[in-house]
Amino acid sequence: MDPTEHNPTVFTTTEHQHMKDEYFLTSGDKIRFFFEKDAVNEKGELVTEKQKSLNKIGHALHVLSPGFKRVTFSDGIKNIAKGLGYENPAVCQSMYIFKQPGIGGEVTCHQDSWFLHTRPKRLTGIWIALEDATLENGCLWFWPGSHKDGMPTTRRMVRKCEDNRTSLIFTAPLPDYDQSKFKPAPVKKGSLVVIHGDVVHKSEQNKSPNSRHIYTFHIFEQKDTEYCSDNWLQPIDGVPFPSLYTYK
């Protein structure tokens, strides 16, 4: 990977420069590289080692990378989806997230349904720890039961077209969540975490000397379900998202 071929584009959840970036907006059917804020100076030059500069890679690893495709469409994943009652799930995105030592960025409190909204809401995240996820290196934190408490999805990230240019906007401010409600969920390497699309979760900045690599992807129900046309991520050139049960 040559960083000069990828801008480099910074991805954070606290600042949103990427939301107006064509490189990010057109990444749904590609493998693209997004950098940590603290890895890039004001001139767009890397100030850390290339291998320790990336925030994530996305968003079509499940289609374009044989290893990740094999995991995503494995019988084990299909059995999980069937156990959750999915009849015709599709995989809409995938990411490799690095959570680099010392500079791995905070992921602010959110529901995944803010970004990949369906009507009715039928979205699930699959999160696989490739290294131990600890309190020190930025494990997930959840608000237990928040997906059952009727927590409204008032905030969404949607596409906005203006002056022949597409950008992304949030439809509402970030909610002021009670931080005392969150519980940490450290897991060992190899663990798989199933994340309901409405559960509120976050992860802290990684200030430790250890990375926290994970692979994650999202599935949504296609049967009797509308995948919203203003979601940031859309099928490219009219080609549907691949079906979890039948994609080869």
Side-chain angles (χ1 to χ4, degrees), residues 13 36 52 54-56 96-108 127 131 134 136-140 202-214:
T13 64
E36 287 287 355
K52 296 182 179 180
L54 288 170
N55 173 288
K56 70 174 184 177
Y96 190 108
I97 300 175
F98 292 85
K99 205 76 159 177
Q100 300 285 5
I103 62 171
E106 169 193 10
V107 177
T108 53
W127 192 98
E131 299 176 317
T134 67
E136 293 73 28
N137 70 3
C139 69
L140 293 170
K202 65 175 183 174
S203 66
E204 303 293 347
Q205 183 179 0
N206 181 9
K207 297 180 180 180
S208 82
N210 302 310
S211 59
R212 191 224 64 186
H213 291 199
I214 66 102

Coordinates of all heavy atoms in Angstrom, one line a residue, residues 13 36 52 54-56 96-108 127 131 134 136-140 202-214:
T13 N -14.3 9.5 14.4 CA -15.7 9.7 14.8 C -16.0 10.9 15.6 O -17.1 11.2 15.9 CB -16.2 8.4 15.5 OG1 -15.6 8.4 16.8 CG2 -16.0 7.2 14.8
E36 N -5.3 7.3 10.8 CA -5.5 8.0 12.1 C -5.2 9.5 12.0 O -4.3 9.9 11.3 CB -4.7 7.3 13.2 CG -5.1 6.0 13.6 CD -6.4 6.0 14.4 OE1 -6.9 7.1 14.8 OE2 -6.9 4.9 14.7
K52 N 1.7 1.6 11.2 CA 1.0 2.0 12.4 C 0.2 3.2 12.2 O -0.2 3.9 13.2 CB 2.1 2.2 13.5 CG 2.8 0.9 13.9 CD 3.8 1.1 15.1 CE 4.4 -0.1 15.5 NZ 5.4 0.1 16.6
L54 N -2.7 3.4 10.1 CA -4.0 3.2 9.6 C -5.1 3.1 10.7 O -4.8 2.5 11.7 CB -4.1 1.9 8.7 CG -3.4 2.0 7.4 CD1 -3.3 0.6 6.8 CD2 -4.1 2.9 6.4
N55 N -6.2 3.8 10.5 CA -7.4 3.6 11.3 C -8.1 2.4 10.9 O -8.5 1.5 11.8 CB -8.3 4.8 11.3 CG -9.6 4.7 12.0 OD1 -10.5 4.0 11.6 ND2 -9.7 5.4 13.1
K56 N -8.4 2.3 9.6 CA -9.2 1.1 9.2 C -9.0 0.9 7.7 O -8.5 1.8 7.0 CB -10.7 1.3 9.5 CG -11.4 2.3 8.7 CD -12.9 2.3 9.0 CE -13.7 3.3 8.1 NZ -15.1 3.3 8.3
Y96 N -11.7 -3.7 8.4 CA -10.6 -4.1 9.3 C -10.2 -2.9 10.1 O -9.8 -1.9 9.5 CB -9.4 -4.7 8.5 CG -8.4 -5.3 9.3 CD1 -8.2 -6.7 9.3 CD2 -7.5 -4.6 10.2 CE1 -7.2 -7.4 10.0 CE2 -6.5 -5.2 10.9 CZ -6.4 -6.6 10.8 OH -5.4 -7.3 11.6
I97 N -10.3 -2.9 11.4 CA -10.0 -1.8 12.3 C -8.8 -2.1 13.1 O -8.7 -3.1 13.8 CB -11.3 -1.4 13.2 CG1 -12.5 -1.1 12.3 CG2 -10.9 -0.3 14.1 CD1 -13.8 -0.9 13.0
F98 N -7.9 -1.2 13.1 CA -6.6 -1.4 13.7 C -6.4 -1.0 15.2 O -5.7 -1.6 16.0 CB -5.5 -0.7 12.9 CG -5.3 -1.2 11.5 CD1 -6.1 -0.8 10.5 CD2 -4.3 -2.2 11.3 CE1 -5.9 -1.3 9.2 CE2 -4.1 -2.7 10.0 CZ -4.9 -2.3 9.0
K99 N -7.1 0.1 15.6 CA -6.9 0.7 16.9 C -5.5 0.7 17.3 O -5.0 0.0 18.2 CB -7.8 -0.2 17.9 CG -8.2 0.6 19.1 CD -9.4 1.5 18.9 CE -10.1 1.9 20.1 NZ -11.2 2.8 19.8
Q100 N -4.7 1.5 16.6 CA -3.3 1.5 16.7 C -2.8 1.9 18.1 O -3.4 2.6 18.8 CB -2.7 2.5 15.7 CG -3.0 2.2 14.3 CD -2.2 1.1 13.7 OE1 -1.5 0.4 14.4 NE2 -2.4 0.8 12.4
P101 N -1.6 1.3 18.6 CA -1.1 1.6 19.9 C -0.8 3.1 20.0 O -0.2 3.7 19.1 CB 0.2 0.8 20.0 CG 0.5 0.4 18.6 CD -0.8 0.3 17.8
G102 N -1.3 3.7 21.1 CA -0.9 5.1 21.4 C -1.8 6.1 20.7 O -2.1 7.2 21.2
I103 N -2.3 5.8 19.4 CA -3.0 6.8 18.7 C -4.4 6.3 18.2 O -5.1 7.0 17.5 CB -2.2 7.4 17.5 CG1 -1.9 6.2 16.5 CG2 -1.0 8.1 17.9 CD1 -1.3 6.7 15.2
G104 N -4.7 5.1 18.5 CA -6.0 4.5 18.0 C -7.1 5.3 18.5 O -7.4 5.5 19.7
G105 N -7.9 5.8 17.6 CA -8.9 6.9 17.9 C -10.1 6.3 18.7 O -10.5 5.2 18.6
E106 N -10.7 7.2 19.5 CA -12.0 7.0 20.2 C -13.1 6.7 19.2 O -13.1 7.4 18.1 CB -12.3 8.2 21.0 CG -13.7 8.2 21.6 CD -14.1 9.5 22.2 OE1 -13.4 10.5 22.0 OE2 -15.2 9.6 22.9
V107 N -14.0 5.8 19.5 CA -15.3 5.7 18.7 C -16.4 6.1 19.6 O -16.6 5.5 20.7 CB -15.5 4.2 18.2 CG1 -16.8 4.1 17.5 CG2 -14.4 3.8 17.3
T108 N -17.0 7.3 19.3 CA -18.0 7.9 20.2 C -19.2 7.0 20.3 O -19.5 6.1 19.4 CB -18.4 9.3 19.7 OG1 -18.8 9.2 18.3 CG2 -17.2 10.2 19.8
W127 N -18.5 -8.8 15.0 CA -17.3 -8.1 15.4 C -16.4 -9.2 15.9 O -16.7 -9.9 16.9 CB -17.6 -7.1 16.5 CG -16.6 -6.1 16.9 CD1 -16.5 -4.8 16.5 CD2 -15.6 -6.3 17.9 NE1 -15.5 -4.2 17.2 CE2 -14.9 -5.1 18.1 CE3 -15.2 -7.4 18.7 CZ2 -13.9 -4.9 19.0 CZ3 -14.2 -7.2 19.6 CH2 -13.5 -6.0 19.8
E131 N -7.1 -9.8 18.0 CA -6.2 -9.7 19.2 C -7.0 -9.5 20.4 O -8.2 -9.2 20.3 CB -5.2 -8.5 19.0 CG -4.3 -8.5 17.8 CD -3.5 -7.3 17.6 OE1 -4.0 -6.2 17.8 OE2 -2.3 -7.4 17.3
T134 N -8.9 -5.3 25.4 CA -8.8 -5.0 26.8 C -9.2 -3.6 27.2 O -9.4 -2.8 26.3 CB -7.3 -5.2 27.3 OG1 -6.5 -4.2 26.7 CG2 -6.8 -6.6 26.8
E136 N -7.4 -1.5 28.4 CA -6.2 -0.6 28.1 C -6.2 -0.3 26.6 O -5.8 0.8 26.3 CB -4.9 -1.3 28.6 CG -4.8 -1.4 30.1 CD -5.6 -2.5 30.7 OE1 -5.9 -3.5 30.0 OE2 -6.0 -2.4 31.9
N137 N -6.5 -1.2 25.7 CA -6.3 -1.0 24.3 C -7.5 -0.6 23.6 O -7.5 -0.5 22.3 CB -5.5 -2.1 23.6 CG -6.3 -3.4 23.5 OD1 -7.5 -3.5 23.9 ND2 -5.7 -4.4 23.0
G138 N -8.6 -0.4 24.3 CA -9.8 0.1 23.6 C -10.9 -0.9 23.3 O -11.4 -0.9 22.2
C139 N -11.3 -1.8 24.3 CA -12.3 -2.7 24.0 C -13.7 -2.0 23.9 O -13.8 -0.8 24.1 CB -12.4 -3.7 25.2 SG -13.0 -3.0 26.8
L140 N -14.7 -2.8 23.4 CA -16.0 -2.2 23.3 C -16.6 -2.0 24.7 O -16.3 -2.6 25.7 CB -16.9 -3.2 22.6 CG -16.6 -3.4 21.1 CD1 -17.4 -4.6 20.6 CD2 -16.9 -2.2 20.3
K202 N -19.6 2.0 22.3 CA -18.5 2.9 22.0 C -17.2 2.2 22.3 O -17.2 1.0 22.7 CB -18.6 4.2 23.0 CG -18.4 3.8 24.5 CD -18.3 5.0 25.4 CE -18.1 4.6 26.8 NZ -17.9 5.8 27.7
S203 N -16.1 2.8 22.0 CA -14.8 2.4 22.5 C -13.9 3.6 22.7 O -14.0 4.6 22.0 CB -14.1 1.4 21.5 OG -13.8 2.0 20.3
E204 N -13.0 3.4 23.7 CA -12.1 4.6 24.1 C -10.9 4.6 23.2 O -10.6 3.6 22.5 CB -11.8 4.4 25.6 CG -12.9 4.3 26.5 CD -13.7 5.6 26.6 OE1 -13.2 6.7 26.1 OE2 -14.8 5.6 27.2
Q205 N -10.2 5.7 23.3 CA -8.9 5.8 22.6 C -7.9 4.8 23.1 O -7.9 4.5 24.3 CB -8.3 7.2 22.7 CG -7.0 7.4 22.0 CD -6.5 8.9 22.1 OE1 -7.1 9.7 22.8 NE2 -5.4 9.1 21.5
N206 N -7.1 4.3 22.3 CA -6.1 3.3 22.7 C -4.8 4.1 23.0 O -4.1 4.5 22.2 CB -5.8 2.3 21.6 CG -4.8 1.3 21.9 OD1 -4.4 1.2 23.1 ND2 -4.3 0.5 21.0
K207 N -4.6 4.2 24.3 CA -3.4 4.9 24.8 C -2.3 3.9 25.2 O -1.2 4.3 25.7 CB -3.7 5.8 25.9 CG -4.7 6.9 25.5 CD -5.0 7.9 26.7 CE -5.9 9.0 26.3 NZ -6.3 9.9 27.4
S208 N -2.6 2.6 25.0 CA -1.6 1.6 25.4 C -0.6 1.3 24.4 O -0.7 1.8 23.2 CB -2.4 0.3 25.7 OG -2.7 -0.4 24.5
P209 N 0.4 0.5 24.7 CA 1.4 0.2 23.7 C 1.0 -1.0 22.8 O 1.8 -1.5 21.9 CB 2.7 -0.2 24.5 CG 2.1 -0.7 25.8 CD 0.8 0.1 26.0
N210 N -0.2 -1.5 23.0 CA -0.7 -2.7 22.2 C -1.8 -2.3 21.3 O -2.7 -1.6 21.6 CB -1.2 -3.8 23.2 CG -0.1 -4.2 24.2 OD1 1.1 -4.5 23.8 ND2 -0.4 -4.2 25.4
S211 N -1.8 -2.9 20.1 CA -2.9 -2.6 19.1 C -4.1 -3.5 19.5 O -4.0 -4.3 20.4 CB -2.4 -3.0 17.7 OG -2.0 -4.3 17.6
R212 N -5.2 -3.2 18.8 CA -6.4 -4.0 19.0 C -7.1 -4.2 17.7 O -8.0 -3.6 17.3 CB -7.4 -3.2 20.0 CG -8.6 -4.0 20.5 CD -9.8 -3.2 20.5 NE -10.2 -2.9 19.1 CZ -11.3 -2.1 18.8 NH1 -12.0 -1.5 19.7 NH2 -11.5 -1.8 17.5
H213 N -6.6 -5.1 16.9 CA -7.1 -5.4 15.6 C -8.4 -6.2 15.6 O -8.5 -7.2 16.4 CB -6.0 -6.2 14.7 CG -4.8 -5.4 14.4 ND1 -4.0 -5.8 13.4 CD2 -4.3 -4.3 14.9 CE1 -3.0 -4.9 13.3 NE2 -3.2 -4.0 14.2
I214 N -9.3 -5.8 14.8 CA -10.6 -6.6 14.7 C -11.1 -6.6 13.2 O -10.7 -5.7 12.4 CB -11.7 -6.0 15.6 CG1 -12.1 -4.6 15.1 CG2 -11.2 -6.0 17.0 CD1 -13.4 -4.6 14.4

